[in-house]
Amino acid sequence: MALALQAERRVTKTKGQLRQLRADGKVPGIVYGSGEENVPIVVDERMLHPILAYHADSIVQLDIPGIGTKQVRIESVQRDCLVGKCEHIDFRLVRGEADAGSKETAEAEVEAARLEASAAAES
């Protein structure tokens, strides 16, 4: 079963505008990935909650009008420390099978690339 989430592009920038979004039941966020421009978005909190509760490590099909559907993974979630409400979410674009793996796999690949680069520099 593919998880899907509808998002909208976000043009709000100020704290007051972001607070108003949260009061309206929306969660601001960002979609980022190597080689592509960061996209500020907003998602409906009611649609996001079940994904965070039951499928936080899954790949999500994020539909953004004007951009299309992107495969993303939830990278981080900032919550209100008193009530636990989601205040901001970061999505990372998934590219191929390497990104579809765990965060540990991706970190291991980055570390291997660093070691290789440092060994090449020493030679």
Side-chain angles (χ1 to χ4, degrees), residues 5-9 31 39 41 62-70:
L5 186 61
Q6 181 68 36
E8 301 169 17
R9 286 193 82 150
V31 178
V39 179
I41 61 165
L62 189 64
D63 184 30
I64 307 168
I67 295 177
T69 302
K70 302 285 186 181

Side-chain angles (χ1 to χ4, degrees), residues 27-50:
V27 178
I30 190 122
V31 178
Y32 64 90
S34 62
E36 290 202 25
E37 184 178 332
N38 295 346
V39 179
I41 61 165
V42 62
V43 294
D44 189 349
E45 183 178 22
R46 292 173 300 170
M47 303 305 282
L48 181 63
H49 180 72

Side-chain angles (χ1 to χ4, degrees), residues 63-80:
D63 184 30
I64 307 168
I67 295 177
T69 302
K70 302 285 186 181
Q71 286 190 343
V72 297
R73 182 180 295 280
I74 298 171
E75 187 68 23
S76 68
V77 178
Q78 290 84 40
R79 295 185 182 271
D80 182 309

Side-chain angles (χ1 to χ4, degrees), residues 8-13 18 21 28-30 39-42 88:
E8 301 169 17
R9 286 193 82 150
R10 174 171 51 98
V11 294
T12 56
K13 303 255 185 215
L18 293 174
L21 280 175
I30 190 122
V39 179
I41 61 165
V42 62
H88 189 273

